[in-house]
C-alpha cells in the first residue's frame, strides 16, 4: 500500500507515524509546502518572546529524523497543486527547483490546515505588517524585532495568537494594543468570564480597543497606520493580523470534494471524504460538536492529532471513529490562566439548549495552607436533565487540573450534580477536601432539589427599585464599607438570625456576599424562616470584575457609578 499525505504538523505527521506503526510494509510519502514538517505551532509566540530561546526547539521532527525512525519519505518545500482521483495521482511542484511531477497513491490523506484570514485591505507588501501561522512567519517577526527594535505594536484580532503575542511582546518591552471588532476577547468564553482576561491584560499594561473593527492598513514613514471603522486610526511600529483562520481547501475544492462550513472538507466519522480512498484531518475539516452533535470547525492541535490517528487507523483497516470535539482549550495571559471546555452559555443558547449555570470563586487549595489563589468557575448545565454542557475557569493556580476533570465529565455525559461524587486527589498544597469541582456539583444539586434559588448579573439589573424587594449584603461591615452595590443593605451573615425583624417577610430577598458561600448560608437561614430568598451567583468579586469591565468598554466615567459605589472602584 502506498499512502500520500498532503501536509504535516499535527494531522499529517501524526497520521504518517501511526500508519507506519500499523503497517511496516506501507510506502508513505509526506509533501509539506513549508520548510518544516512537524513543529510546535503553539510554541511560536514564545520563541518570539525569548521564552523558547533556540529555534531548533520548535522542530519536533525533521525529514531526516522521520526517515531514520519510521522510514517515511518527507519532502518539504513541495506543494501538491492538483488531485486526480480518477487516476489516483497528485501533481506536485518542488518549490526549490520548480520541477513538476506526478505521484501515485493507493490512499491519500489531506491535512492542509488553515490559513490566516486576510481581508482585502491586508496590505501584505508592508514590511511592518505580519501574520503568525508558520515557523517562517515566526522567524520573520523575530528578525524584524531584532533588527529594528520596534517600541509599539498593534495586534488586530482577539484570539489565542493575539493574547499570547501580547504577553510575549510586552515582556520584550513593547507597548501593545489589541484591536478587536467584538466587545470581548476570546469568543470561546462568555463575556463575563472574558472580563477576567481583559482585567489581567490591562493590569499588565496592554491597551484594549474593543468593539472596533479594523478596516485597513496604511504605510507611514516609520509606522504602520491601522484604520478603524469609525474613521479613527492608530499607528505603531509594527502590526500583526490575527483575525482568525479559515480552512485552506482550494486543492480539495478543485478536486471535486464536497465542502461544508466555510469551505471546510466534509468527512464522516472515519475521516473519509466524499471521494473514495481520500481522507482528511485537521483544521481543514468539518467535524461534529461533541456536546450538540452540530457541524462545527475546531482548529486546535488536540483534535487534529486525534483525527490524524483515526484516519491512519481506517487507512490501515482498523475501523476507528471520531466522536467529535469539545473545543477544550487553555491560555496563559501573564499570571492568569483561562480555560474552557464544551459549550459556553452563549453557544448553548445559540444551539437552542435551555441552559443554566453556577458561578463560584473557590480557592485553588486549602485556605489554611499558605499561597492559595482564588479562581472563578462557571459551569453550564442543561435545565431539567442536569447534563453538563461546558465550563470556563479563570485563575492563577489549579485551573488546568479542574478544567481537565470537567472536560472528562462532559465527555462521559455526566449530570452536573454527579460532580459532587467524584473522588479527587487531596492534600493541602493541591486542593481542599471538597475540591472546587465537587463544590460545583453541590451547588447544582442544591438547585435541582430546590434547596436554594439563585439570581444572576442580568437579573440584578432588572430588579425593581420600588421597594417591593429586599436587597441584602451579608458580608462584614468592613467589606461592605470598602465597596458595595447601591441599594443593598448590610447585615453580616453571623448577625442575621438576631436581626431578622429588620427584614420584611412579605418581600423576596436577594442576597449577595463576596463569593456566594455566605449568601448561600444566609438563604438557607431565611428560607427556613419563611422568606423567599435568592442567592447571587458568583458573588461581589465576580460582579465587580464584570461591571467595571463593561464600564471600561463603554468608556463610562467614573466606572459604573450608577450601579456601583464610589468606594468599590478601588477596592
Amino acid at each position: 500500500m502506498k499512502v500520500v499525505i498532503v501536509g504535516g504538523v499535527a494531522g499529517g505527521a501524526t497520521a504518517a507515524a501511526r500508519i507506519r506503526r500499523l503497517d511496516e510494509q506501507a510506502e508513505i510519502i509526506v509533501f509539506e509546502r513549508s520548510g518544516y514538517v512537524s513543529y510546535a505551532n503553539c510554541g511560536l509566540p514564545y520563541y518570539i518572546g525569548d521564552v523558547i530561546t533556540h529555534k531548533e526547539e520548535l522542530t519536533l521532527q525533521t525529514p531526516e529524523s522521520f526517515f531514520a525512525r519510521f522510514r517515511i519519505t518527507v519532502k518539504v518545500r513541495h506543494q501538491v497543486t492538483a488531485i486526480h482521483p480518477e487516476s489516483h495521482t497528485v501533481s506536485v511542484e518542488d518549490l526549490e527547483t520548480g520541477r513538476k511531477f506526478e505521484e501515485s497513491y493507493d490512499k491519500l490523506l489531506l491535512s492542509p490546515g488553515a490559513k490566516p484570514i486576510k481581508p482585502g485591505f491586508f496590505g501584505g507588501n508592508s514590511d511592518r505588517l505580519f501574520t503568525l501561522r508558520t515557523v517562517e512567519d515566526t522567524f520573520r517577526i523575530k528578525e524584524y524585532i531584532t533588527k529594528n527594535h520596534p517600541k509599539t505594536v498593534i495586534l488586530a484580532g482577539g484570539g489565542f495568537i493575539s493574547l499570547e503575542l501580547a504577553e510575549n511582546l510586552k515582556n520584550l518591552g513593547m507597548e501593545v494594543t489589541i484591536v478587536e471588532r467584538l466587545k470581548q476577547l476570546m469568543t470561546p468564553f462568555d463575556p463575563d468570564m472574558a472580563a477576567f482576561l481583559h482585567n489581567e491584560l490591562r493590569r499588565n499594561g496592554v491597551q484594549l480597543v474593543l468593539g472596533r473593527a479594523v478596516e485597513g492598513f496604511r504605510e507611514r514613514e516609520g509606522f504602520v497606520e491601522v484604520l478603524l471603522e469609525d474613521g479613527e486610526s492608530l499607528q505603531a511600529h509594527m502590526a500583526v493580523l490575527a483575525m482568525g483562520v479559515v480552512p485552506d481547501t482550494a486543492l480539495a475544492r478543485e478536486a471535486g470534494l464536497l465542502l461544508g462550513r466555510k469551505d471546510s472538507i466534509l468527512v464522516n466519522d472515519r475521516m473519509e471524504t466524499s471521494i473514495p480512498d481520500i481522507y482528511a484531518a485537521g483544521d481543514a475539516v468539518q467535524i461534529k460538536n461533541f456536546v450538540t452533535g452540530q457541524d462545527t470547525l475546531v482548529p486546535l492541535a488536540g483534535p487534529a492529532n486525534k483525527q490524524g490517528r483515526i484516519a491512519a487507523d481506517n487507512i490501515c483497516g482498523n475501523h476507528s471513529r471520531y466522536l467529535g470535539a469539545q473545543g477544550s482549550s487553555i491560555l496563559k495571559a501573564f499570571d492568569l490562566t483561562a480555560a474552557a471546555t464544551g459549550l459556553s452559555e452563549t453557544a448553548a443558547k445559540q444551539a437552542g439548549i435551555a441552559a443554566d449555570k453556577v458561578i463560584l470563586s473557590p480557592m485553588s487549595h486549602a485556605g489554611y495552607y499558605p499561597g492559595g489563589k482564588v479562581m472563578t468557575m462557571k459551569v453550564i448545565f442543561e435545565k431539567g436533565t442536569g447534563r453538563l454542557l461546558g465550563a470556563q475557569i479563570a485563575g492563577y493556580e489549579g485551573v488546568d487540573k479542574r478544567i481537565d476533570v470537567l472536560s472528562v465529565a462532559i465527555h462521559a455525559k455526566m449530570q452536573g450534580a454527579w460532580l459532587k461524587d467524584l473522588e479527587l486527589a487531596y492534600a493541602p498544597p493541591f486542593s481542599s477536601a471538597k475540591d472546587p469541582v465537587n463544590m460545583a456539583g453541590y451547588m447544582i444539586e442544591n438547585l435541582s432539589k430546590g434547596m436554594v434559588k439563585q439570581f444572576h448579573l442580568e437579573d440584578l439589573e432588572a430588579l425593581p427599585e420600588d421597594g417591593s424587594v429586599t436587597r441584602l449584603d451579608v458580608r462584614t461591615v468592613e467589606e461592605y464599607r470598602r465597596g458595595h452595590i447601591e441599594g443593598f443593605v448590610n447585615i453580616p451573615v453571623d448577625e442575621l438570625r438576631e436581626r431578622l425583624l429588620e427584614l420584611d417577610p412579605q418581600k423576596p430577598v436577594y442576597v449577595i456576599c463576596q463569593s456566594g458561600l455566605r449568601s448561600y448560608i444566609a438563604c438557607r437561614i431565611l428560607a427556613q424562616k419563611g422568606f423567599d430568598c435568592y442567592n447571587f451567583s458568583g458573588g461581589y468579586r465576580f460582579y465587580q470584575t464584570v461591571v467595571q469591565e463593561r464600564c471600561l468598554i463603554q468608556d463610562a466615567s467614573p466606572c459604573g457609578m450608577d450601579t456601583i459605589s464610589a468606594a468599590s472602584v478601588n477596592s
Side-chain angles (χ1 to χ4, degrees):
M1 179 176 64
K2 181 177 181 180
V3 182
V4 169
I5 299 175
V6 180
V9 199
T14 296
R18 176 67 172 172
I19 292 169
R20 174 57 74 226
R21 291 194 294 271
L22 295 175
D23 187 345
E24 185 64 22
Q25 305 306 315
E27 180 183 359
I28 308 168
I29 303 175
V30 179
F31 293 112
E32 168 58 48
R33 66 186 167 197
S34 77
Y36 300 85
V37 65
S38 180
Y39 57 89
N41 190 286
C42 299
L44 301 182
Y46 298 97
Y47 175 75
I48 293 171
D50 287 336
V51 176
I52 299 170
T53 54
H54 300 290
K55 62 175 64 176
E56 295 79 12
E57 294 174 338
L58 296 173
T59 304
L60 305 178
Q61 292 281 359
T62 65
E64 294 76 18
S65 67
F66 247 115
F67 188 81
R69 177 65 57 83
F70 298 110
R71 296 301 188 269
I72 292 171
T73 301
V74 176
K75 296 183 179 292
V76 296
R77 302 290 296 157
H78 280 67
Q79 182 166 359
V80 173
T81 58
I83 302 169
H84 311 291
E86 66 286 350
S87 61
H88 276 55
T89 61
V90 294
S91 299
V92 188
E93 180 180 359
D94 183 336
L95 299 178
E96 297 284 357
T97 66
R99 183 176 75 92
K100 298 179 180 180
F101 60 94
E102 302 288 306
E103 190 74 54
S104 64
Y105 66 83
D106 296 309
K107 304 289 184 181
L108 176 67
L109 172 63
L110 303 180
S111 181
K115 57 186 178 182
I117 294 173
K118 293 183 181 180
F121 56 73
F122 174 57
N125 294 327
S126 172
D127 61 1
R128 301 177 183 275
L129 188 56
F130 303 88
T131 60
L132 178 57
R133 183 67 180 175
T134 66
V135 174
E136 288 88 345
D137 293 337
T138 307
F139 293 161
R140 279 194 289 271
I141 294 173
K142 186 66 175 175
E143 181 180 7
Y144 180 83
I145 292 172
T146 301
K147 287 184 177 180
N148 297 281
H149 306 288
K151 294 181 172 59
T152 56
V153 59
I154 294 173
L155 307 175
F160 287 99
I161 290 175
S162 271
L163 270 66
E164 290 168 349
L165 271 177
E167 176 183 353
N168 281 280
L169 296 177
K170 186 68 179 176
N171 289 341
L172 290 179
M174 299 175 66
E175 292 300 316
V176 180
T177 300
I178 298 177
V179 182
E180 165 58 48
R181 67 178 181 85
L182 301 176
K183 290 188 176 181
Q184 71 163 90
L185 305 175
M186 294 298 297
T187 53
F189 294 84
D190 287 312
D192 50 10
M193 295 300 291
F196 290 89
L197 277 167
H198 300 173
N199 183 66
E200 181 71 8
L201 290 164
R202 287 194 171 102
R203 189 175 70 84
N204 284 276
V206 175
Q207 302 295 314
L208 302 183
V209 181
L210 303 177
R212 310 276 292 280
V214 173
E215 290 205 334
F217 299 93
R218 191 160 53 204
E219 186 81 18
R220 294 292 189 199
E221 185 174 352
F223 296 94
V224 59
E225 188 173 21
V226 180
L227 308 176
L228 304 181
E229 61 182 347
D230 54 10
E232 294 186 22
S233 65
L234 304 169
Q235 64 179 20
H237 293 108
M238 64 179 291
V240 181
L241 191 68
M243 294 179 172
V245 295
V246 292
D248 190 359
T249 55
L251 187 66
R253 183 191 307 110
E254 292 168 3
L257 274 69
L258 292 180
L259 303 181
R261 296 182 59 184
K262 297 184 179 179
D263 283 345
S264 57
I265 302 172
L266 283 180
V267 293
N268 60 19
D269 59 3
R270 291 167 48 85
M271 310 313 297
E272 295 170 321
T273 71
S274 58
I275 295 180
D277 297 325
I278 301 180
Y279 297 73
D283 295 353
V285 305
Q286 176 177 293
I287 59 174
K288 297 292 184 183
N289 182 293
F290 179 81
V291 180
T292 66
Q294 296 175 352
D295 295 331
T296 190
L297 304 176
V298 181
L300 294 172
N305 271 281
K306 293 177 180 64
Q307 293 158 22
R309 179 186 174 93
I310 287 168
D313 282 355
N314 288 303
I315 286 171
C316 295
N318 279 11
H319 307 295
S320 291
R321 297 188 180 279
Y322 185 63
L323 300 178
Q326 292 174 207
S328 299
S329 60
I330 192 165
L331 173 73
K332 177 183 180 295
F334 296 97
D335 295 327
L336 185 77
T337 302
T341 186
L343 300 182
S344 65
E345 183 182 9
T346 304
K349 290 179 179 178
Q350 291 173 345
I353 299 174
D356 204 349
K357 62 196 172 192
V358 292
I359 300 170
L360 57 158
S361 299
M363 295 287 286
S364 57
H365 61 242
Y368 61 82
Y369 187 89
K373 303 288 180 63
V374 175
M375 67 177 74
T376 299
M377 300 173 59
K378 181 175 184 179
V379 181
I380 316 297
F381 58 97
E382 188 174 32
K383 291 181 180 178
T385 68
R387 176 176 64 112
L388 285 169
L389 300 174
Q392 300 157 59
I393 311 178
Y396 297 91
E397 287 182 2
V399 171
D400 53 344
K401 170 181 176 177
R402 276 69 188 212
I403 203 68
D404 283 344
V405 172
L406 289 164
S407 175
V408 172
I410 293 168
H411 188 83
K413 299 184 178 180
M414 291 176 59
Q415 295 180 23
W418 297 357
L419 296 174
K420 75 183 192 306
D421 298 319
L422 296 181
E423 185 176 339
L424 304 174
Y426 159 61
F430 306 105
S431 184
S432 300
K434 295 177 181 177
D435 188 85
V437 173
N438 296 135
M439 293 303 299
Y442 290 131
M443 293 172 68
I444 295 171
E445 181 187 51
N446 286 339
L447 287 170
S448 66
K449 291 185 174 181
M451 297 286 288
V452 69
K453 294 184 285 188
Q454 63 180 354
F455 70 110
H456 302 289
L457 186 59
E458 58 268 27
D459 305 314
L460 175 65
E461 296 164 349
L463 286 182
E465 300 180 359
D466 58 2
S468 60
V469 303
T470 299
R471 307 177 190 209
L472 179 63
D473 188 322
V474 296
R475 295 176 299 154
T476 65
V477 172
E478 180 59 26
E479 287 175 306
Y480 183 81
R481 187 194 65 78
R482 287 199 301 264
H484 59 271
I485 305 173
E486 295 294 343
F488 275 72
V489 297
N490 180 222
I491 301 178
V493 65
D494 293 340
E495 303 174 14
L496 183 58
R497 292 177 179 88
E498 290 71 34
R499 298 175 61 179
L500 286 175
L501 292 178
E502 298 177 30
L503 303 177
D504 184 346
Q506 303 304 314
K507 296 180 181 179
V509 185
Y510 291 82
V511 190
I512 191 170
C513 72
Q514 192 69 12
S515 67
L517 176 58
R518 285 173 288 174
S519 52
Y520 163 65
I521 294 170
C523 275
R524 290 303 303 145
I525 295 170
L526 292 169
Q528 293 177 78
K529 296 295 184 179
F531 288 83
D532 185 18
C533 189
Y534 298 82
N535 183 24
F536 182 70
S537 180
Y540 182 77
R541 175 180 176 272
F542 174 78
Y543 164 86
Q544 191 176 31
T545 299
V546 176
V547 170
Q548 289 197 47
E549 178 57 34
R550 287 182 181 178
C551 295
L552 288 169
I553 292 173
Q554 295 167 4
D555 197 25
S557 181
C559 182
M561 286 297 291
D562 55 333
T563 57
I564 187 169
S565 72
S568 71
V569 173
N570 297 313
S571 64

